[in-house]
Amino acid sequence: MNTASMICFVIYFIVALLLIGIGISQYRSKTPVTFYSGEKPFDEKELSDVPAWNKRHGMMWISYGAMVMISYAAGAGTGSDFAWLVIPPLGGIIAMIWYHHRLIRIYRR
């Protein structure tokens, strides 16, 4: 493994761990969590099931962190930086935004 590949691995690994950490924190949270950094969290009275809301958001972040790790492994195995190291994480963000809005439709009163 050359130096550039090692640096890329370390960056992806740290980012993936941060994403998984966000997911674990949201999964365990007792108060309603939010997705966007600028978004105001819903009040508990606005959600029909706060624990389910938090667990689904937490699993979303954990899955995204795992996907970042998998995309690095796939990219390192094929040697194609752009196809595996850029497209899956960007697609994952789009999927997370869609899923968050779906959860709003399901759990918001």
Side-chain angles (χ1 to χ4, degrees):
M1 182 179 276
N2 63 30
T3 304
S5 295
M6 182 57 102
I7 291 170
C8 187
F9 168 76
V10 169
I11 291 170
Y12 264 70
F13 187 74
I14 290 170
V15 168
L17 287 179
L18 288 171
L19 297 171
I20 291 169
I22 290 169
I24 291 169
S25 172
Q26 288 192 351
Y27 191 91
R28 293 180 176 174
S29 180
K30 302 295 183 209
T31 59
V33 298
T34 186
F35 174 64
Y36 302 108
S37 61
E39 184 181 47
K40 181 184 173 203
F42 291 113
D43 187 59
E44 290 183 28
K45 296 172 189 167
E46 294 179 275
L47 297 172
S48 61
D49 189 351
V50 173
W53 167 268
N54 290 348
K55 287 179 180 179
R56 287 190 172 203
H57 273 87
M59 289 307 299
M60 175 180 68
W61 281 100
I62 291 168
S63 299
Y64 185 57
M67 195 244 354
V68 167
M69 286 184 178
I70 292 168
S71 71
Y72 174 80
T78 63
S80 174
D81 290 341
F82 184 77
W84 289 102
L85 301 180
V86 177
I87 294 172
L90 290 177
I93 290 170
I94 293 167
M96 289 172 63
I97 292 169
W98 172 84
Y99 187 64
H100 171 70
H101 288 285
R102 182 170 178 254
L103 292 178
I104 289 173
R105 287 192 307 274
I106 292 170
Y107 290 106
R108 190 166 186 199
R109 292 180 188 206

